[in-house]
Amino acid sequence: FVLTNAVAHTALGATCTCRLGYYAFGRHVSKHYWFACSYTRLARCMGHSSYIRHIDWADSSKVLQSSCGAYELLYFTAATGKQVQQNQRDTLWHTYTNILGFTVMGIWPTYSDGTDINAVCRSYSLQAWKSIDPLASDSSQLVVTAGDDGRVRLLNYPCVIDDAPAKVYSGHSSHVMNVRFSPHNKWVTSVGGKDRAVFQWRVLPHMQEKQAEPASQAPKVYIYPATQKRLMQDLPEQQATVEPALQEPKEFVPLQTKQPQHTYEITTVTSNIRGAGTDCGVFIIIYGSNGHSGEQKLENHPDNFSRGRADTFSLTLPVGLGQLQRLRIGHDSKGSCPRWHLTHVLVIHKGSEAPPVTFPCGQWFARDEGDGATVRVLQAAALGDNSTTEGSKQPRRYRIEVNTSDVKGAGTDANVSITLLGSAGSSGPHKLENSRNNFERGAVDVFELEAGVGQLQAIRIGHDNTGLGSAWHLKEVLASSPGMGPLQFVANRWLAVNEADGQTFITLRPTSGQGTPPLRKYRVHVHTSDIRGAGTDANVHIVLFGMNGQDSGPLKLENSKNNFERGAEDVFFLELPDLGELTAVEVGHDNSGAAPGWHLEQVVVVEVGSNRCWAFTCDRWLAKNEDDGVIRRRLLPLANSSTTTYRVTTYTSDLRGAGTDAGVWVELRGELDGKLSQGPRLMLDNSSNNFERGAVDTFLLKKQQNLGQLTSVTIGHDSKGMASGWHLDHVEVADDASGVTYYFPCDAWLDKQQGDGAVERLLKAASKEEAAAAEKLAYKVTVYTSDIKFAGTDASVFIDILGNRNGQSTSSGRVALNNSKNNFERAAIDTFS
């Protein structure tokens, strides 16, 4: 008989001892386990399809239950080791450490998966410890769980209701890998993962009502004049005088002080537009300089949050929040109308001299509208801020007139949406719909919407290409608002996949708007990881965030190519108002298609014209069945980081026999803070057939030490393979943290049988001074062919580069752009040296 009866996760996997002396263990690398008496194997239990995680014995020691890494819960007889097919949910278990089973089905929170809970332990019922067991008098037992979110949770056992209530305890700074009750249930021990911490938690029984005891049994309390001066104010008059220090009072009477209360009046204004109201449960958290209010539910009337309605709620807190800074508001998406369009929130601190604080919004809280968010963080507006301020996000009402052209087949049955782009950011997509026959040939459709984008600078309008007749010929869009002159956005073009350039969305600037800044063009490079199953068939979107809260709104990334395949780099061009310095990007997908899971390597955004560059590393799954189940992530730039991602691009010469089958490696060197720095030797390899004649191969070196300004690289190969000789033209290394690209010329053989016989070479970075002094300089020419119908060509293309050298005009003369590839196809990117 073993008192602990605990499951221990070791290199073996799971072990367990029952009360009759039988010992069971499961190997982490196998799919079965054994049990024995006096360490003699009696039987082997087989049936699991993955490694064993947890084992428990029944009270009768006749049955065991076990679970594995494939989340299978199986039962076996102890006498023969054969699998038991009958349901064992009513069986009494000596221990319960399995994360699966009928009696623990309620430990799993909503939207969790099998990785969210790592371990479980039920409290024990052992007569040997009854005298000191804090749970011995309880009619029910408890169960404790180890969460992958770093929290320990305590629940009642059995736990059979969905998303059962639990007490949650924090302490670990990493995943909680295991948890166990002590044999007498007085302690719970939890073991962390990367934090390498062991926590002991004390188990306390529920406080029970007790009868008041006589005052004579109270502990003796001594009152000293210096410290008790304030407490004596509430004592009876006959005791108001201070007694000598050693005199014992008859009874200690504590000071009853009334805590001040702080009342906040919260007013939410629901927009007066179609479908703006909601019957979902709305909650709010207010943040101030002194803390936050915690999550508060807003509800006081059956008609709360109806269209055009202003609802006022009262919130009382024991401590003031100080200067209000921001709030978090959203809904639970439950109810018959899981949409909500909020104009703004007004918060007033009652009884104080602080002015009312407005939190402008003007956006949808809906999964099928705007950016799909149902929870938002709203920033407090500056004092005196109003809708006429150029950079304000104060919402205003817009009247949108959409004119469909009067040409054959101009109307569309697709779903049309519009995004307003202004000096204060993006409104997000708004679906334009108020009739079943919108967007017919020659029709003028009028819509009203609310948005807070500051000065309107551009619109983005298009459709989702659904319906029988999705092609649409748009003539123009007129936008007007009180206090703002009407703006005209002329399109006069097709928005159809089989017409013109094949685009279904277009960004338009006002034709007569004076002072409207020009749109900026951004080039977005999306790198899909080179691992199994990394590609996606889902629709991918991106949001660019700039300074002062500006953003692009969600933009769909699509062109005529088969995008987001394994190991691919996809390039997209976006025209947007100037966002300034980018602070973040948000990338996600709609989880559609046969294989929606996506492993994103990184995103690089280049502002065309200024060549400003921002790199955003992800290196995680965006999939509901992988990682943490998230399909949308916000990424921060790599700038000012001690690590970076280097993109190494090799250009194999377009000569006979220039390609190689050998293993190629590279070493980077640089100068950081006046000191030389060197990276490790790294192999250049991916799933492609690399280093072929005339090939351009790109490799991502992730999470590398930032070497500062690169000065040289050493590149070579292992001389293995049937054709190991390699003629390298040059190497380019892009530092995604700084946005700088370095050029390392080579134009030599790396071959024991060619040239000087060297198979590795030290290449120095070409400096600006060397380039200016050189009579001839190698240029890299990258040609981007448009992604429109019939954009490609089979003709011979040439280029003439013109410059100014020492005050005199110079020319390269006509140089043919030709290599061994099929160049200048639609949407192709061709590179020449």
Side-chain angles (χ1 to χ4, degrees):
F1 181 79
V2 180
L3 294 177
T4 58
N5 294 310
V7 175
H9 287 273
T10 64
L12 288 174
T15 61
C16 183
T17 308
C18 80
R19 62 174 64 199
L20 297 181
Y22 292 105
Y23 180 81
F25 71 91
R27 297 179 62 191
H28 195 279
V29 296
S30 67
K31 302 174 184 177
H32 47 259
Y33 57 90
W34 301 264
F35 56 94
C37 180
S38 301
Y39 301 98
T40 301
R41 193 182 80 181
L42 300 179
R44 175 180 294 177
C45 306
M46 302 185 66
H48 282 289
S49 59
S50 184
Y51 57 87
I52 307 302
R53 296 186 63 186
H54 309 283
I55 303 174
D56 291 300
W57 288 84
D59 261 348
S60 62
S61 298
K62 295 181 179 180
V63 180
L64 334 100
Q65 68 172 354
S66 61
S67 60
C68 67
Y71 306 106
E72 299 170 337
L73 179 63
L74 303 181
Y75 305 98
F76 300 91
T77 59
T80 62
K82 292 184 178 181
Q83 186 174 343
V84 178
Q85 301 295 335
Q86 292 81 6
N87 195 325
Q88 301 292 316
R89 77 175 193 176
D90 296 326
T91 301
L92 298 179
W93 298 98
H94 186 53
T95 61
Y96 207 105
T97 60
N98 269 290
I99 61 176
L100 306 174
F102 175 77
T103 55
V104 293
M105 59 186 292
I107 66 175
W108 297 94
T110 306
Y111 306 120
S112 61
D113 58 27
T115 63
D116 289 335
I117 296 179
N118 296 320
V120 166
C121 184
R122 187 203 63 197
S123 59
Y124 301 108
S125 298
L126 304 178
Q127 294 298 322
W129 302 101
K130 187 173 182 179
S131 59
I132 60 174
D133 187 348
L135 306 178
S137 60
D138 288 359
S139 60
S140 61
Q141 293 181 285
L142 302 176
V143 63
V144 64
T145 67
D148 211 46
D149 57 357
R151 292 176 173 86
V152 175
R153 290 174 171 82
L154 187 67
L155 307 95
N156 287 323
Y157 180 90
C159 184
V160 295
I161 62 173
D162 291 340
D163 200 2
K167 292 185 179 295
V168 184
Y169 303 96
S170 301
H172 285 280
S173 61
S174 180
H175 313 303
V176 185
M177 302 307 298
N178 210 340
V179 64
R180 288 292 179 268
F181 273 98
S182 63
H184 45 48
N185 297 322
K186 295 181 68 175
W187 303 95
V188 170
T189 302
S190 60
V191 182
K194 287 190 175 181
D195 61 1
R196 295 178 174 85
V198 178
F199 278 69
Q200 284 186 323
W201 310 84
R202 185 178 178 185
V203 180
L204 299 176
H206 290 294
M207 298 298 294
Q208 299 179 358
E209 296 290 338
K210 295 184 178 180
Q211 296 183 353
E213 298 179 351
S216 59
Q217 298 181 6
K220 297 180 180 181
V221 179
Y222 297 93
I223 301 178
Y224 294 88
T227 58
Q228 198 62 21
K229 183 176 180 180
R230 185 183 176 193
L231 295 178
M232 293 294 291
Q233 296 174 3
D234 290 344
L235 290 177
E237 295 183 359
Q238 61 271 24
Q239 297 185 17
T241 58
V242 179
E243 301 293 338
L246 297 179
Q247 185 175 351
E248 298 179 12
K250 294 182 179 180
E251 184 178 1
F252 174 75
V253 181
L255 175 66
Q256 301 293 331
T257 59
K258 185 176 181 180
Q259 297 293 334
Q261 300 291 324
H262 296 264
T263 302
Y264 292 87
E265 185 179 274
I266 304 169
T267 302
T268 62
V269 180
T270 301
S271 303
N272 188 20
I273 60 177
R274 183 181 181 186
T278 185
D279 57 356
C280 297
V282 176
F283 59 87
I284 191 172
I285 305 174
I286 305 175
Y287 297 86
S289 57
N290 295 338
H292 63 84
S293 65
E295 185 173 306
Q296 305 291 333
K297 188 174 182 179
L298 302 181
E299 182 180 20
N300 59 16
H301 193 275
D303 295 330
N304 285 144
F305 317 113
S306 298
R307 172 178 174 175
R309 178 184 172 94
D311 297 287
T312 301
F313 309 90
S314 181
L315 173 63
T316 301
L317 300 175
V319 179
L321 300 177
Q323 183 179 358
L324 302 186
Q325 299 171 341
R326 65 186 186 279
L327 60 83
R328 179 181 173 89
I329 190 169
H331 62 75
D332 56 11
S333 297
K334 297 179 180 178
S336 59
C337 301
R339 299 179 177 181
W340 186 34
H341 196 282
L342 174 65
T343 298
H344 66 272
V345 179
L346 181 68
V347 181
I348 302 175
H349 189 182
K350 305 293 287 186
S352 73
E353 299 180 355
V357 181
T358 301
F359 298 85
C361 181
Q363 297 190 70
W364 281 101
F365 292 70
R367 293 178 179 174
D368 57 350
E369 291 283 357
D371 56 4
T374 58
V375 180
R376 297 188 185 277
V377 176
L378 307 181
Q379 302 293 332
L383 293 179
D385 195 9
N386 54 59
S387 59
T388 61
T389 304
E390 179 178 336
S392 171
K393 274 203 169 185
Q394 190 78 11
R396 66 190 308 166
R397 183 178 296 277
Y398 291 91
R399 185 176 188 268
I400 307 296
E401 294 184 18
V402 181
N403 293 287
T404 302
S405 302
D406 189 12
V407 299
K408 186 177 180 180
T412 182
D413 298 325
N415 298 311
V416 176
S417 62
I418 188 172
T419 300
L420 306 185
L421 304 171
S423 59
S426 164
S427 68
H430 289 264
K431 188 176 180 180
L432 300 180
E433 182 182 22
N434 57 19
S435 171
R436 294 183 60 183
N437 293 320
N438 289 134
F439 315 113
E440 294 296 312
R441 172 179 173 175
V444 178
D445 298 287
V446 180
F447 308 90
E448 290 191 354
L449 57 89
E450 285 192 3
V453 297
Q455 181 187 10
L456 184 59
Q457 297 177 347
I459 64 171
R460 182 173 175 83
I461 190 169
H463 61 81
D464 60 2
N465 198 42
T466 60
L468 295 176
S470 59
W472 185 33
H473 197 283
L474 174 63
K475 182 179 180 181
E476 65 178 8
V477 178
L478 300 177
S480 60
S481 178
M484 183 193 81
L487 298 178
Q488 182 185 31
F489 302 85
V490 176
N492 196 26
R493 56 158 290 167
W494 283 101
L495 297 175
V497 295
N498 57 351
E499 297 285 352
D501 58 1
Q503 300 298 314
T504 59
F505 274 87
I506 186 174
T507 302
L508 303 174
R509 293 184 60 222
T511 56
S512 59
Q514 296 182 356
T516 302
L519 297 178
R520 297 295 182 100
K521 180 172 285 189
Y522 295 90
R523 190 172 70 244
V524 180
H525 299 255
V526 181
H527 297 265
T528 302
S529 302
D530 189 16
I531 62 176
R532 184 178 181 184
T536 182
D537 299 323
N539 298 310
V540 175
H541 63 267
I542 188 171
V543 182
L544 276 61
F545 295 89
M547 300 294 291
N548 302 321
Q550 299 185 51
D551 64 83
S552 67
L555 303 170
K556 189 175 180 180
L557 299 180
E558 63 176 347
N559 54 33
S560 62
K561 292 184 176 181
N562 185 16
N563 299 307
F564 315 116
E565 294 298 306
R566 170 180 175 175
E569 176 187 5
D570 299 290
V571 181
F572 307 90
F573 290 90
L574 306 175
E575 280 190 319
L576 303 167
D578 186 10
L579 300 176
E581 188 72 20
L582 296 188
T583 58
V585 299
E586 187 172 280
V587 185
H589 61 78
D590 60 2
N591 201 46
S592 63
W598 185 34
H599 196 282
L600 173 62
E601 190 73 55
Q602 71 169 4
V603 176
V604 179
V605 182
V606 179
E607 184 179 345
V608 180
S610 68
N611 284 328
R612 289 196 296 175
C613 179
W614 301 269
F616 305 89
T617 297
C618 180
D619 196 23
R620 295 188 67 178
W621 282 99
L622 284 77
K624 289 192 173 181
N625 58 348
E626 297 283 355
D627 204 343
D628 55 2
V630 173
I631 60 174
R632 183 173 58 190
R633 298 190 185 277
R634 181 168 293 197
L635 310 176
L636 300 179
L638 283 174
N640 302 322
S641 174
S642 60
T643 61
T644 185
T645 296
Y646 291 106
R647 282 184 292 129
V648 178
T649 304
T650 61
Y651 291 78
T652 302
S653 303
D654 192 11
L655 303 174
R656 183 178 180 182
T660 183
D661 298 325
V664 176
W665 52 264
V666 68
E667 293 177 358
L668 306 181
R669 295 180 181 85
E671 184 176 343
L672 181 63
D673 298 330
K675 298 181 180 179
L676 297 179
S677 54
Q678 179 175 340
R681 177 172 293 189
L682 301 170
M683 298 299 297
L684 301 181
D685 189 23
N686 54 33
S687 60
S688 302
N689 186 15
N690 300 306
F691 315 116
E692 294 298 305
R693 172 181 173 175
V696 179
D697 300 293
T698 300
F699 307 89
L700 290 179
L701 308 182
K702 301 175 294 184
K703 299 179 181 179
Q704 299 297 314
Q705 176 188 354
N706 196 331
L707 303 176
Q709 181 179 356
L710 297 185
T711 57
S712 63
V713 300
T714 301
I715 191 166
H717 59 76
D718 56 11
S719 299
K720 296 181 180 179
M722 295 183 63
S724 61
W726 185 33
H727 196 282
L728 174 64
D729 188 83
H730 69 278
V731 177
E732 288 181 3
V733 180
D735 184 351
D736 285 341
S738 63
V740 178
T741 300
Y742 301 89
Y743 178 81
F744 302 89
C746 179
D747 193 22
W749 283 97
L750 285 77
D751 187 0
K752 292 181 179 180
Q753 310 298 327
Q754 297 279 355
D756 57 4
V759 294
E760 63 178 70
R761 295 193 181 277
L762 175 64
L763 309 179
K764 293 186 178 181
S767 64
K768 293 183 179 180
E769 293 76 11
E770 292 173 343
E775 291 296 328
K776 289 188 177 182
L777 189 66
Y779 287 89
K780 183 184 78 169
V781 178
T782 303
V783 181
Y784 295 85
T785 303
S786 301
D787 188 13
I788 62 176
K789 195 173 183 180
F790 304 124
T793 182
D794 296 326
S796 299
V797 178
F798 64 87
I799 189 171
D800 189 354
I801 303 176
L802 306 178
N804 189 304
R805 183 182 179 90
N806 298 327
Q808 296 181 355
S809 298
T810 57
S811 171
S812 66
R814 289 192 175 187
V815 179
L817 299 181
N818 187 23
N819 55 31
S820 58
K821 292 184 177 181
N822 186 16
N823 301 123
F824 313 116
E825 294 297 308
R826 173 178 174 176
I829 302 174
D830 299 293
T831 302
F832 307 90
S833 297

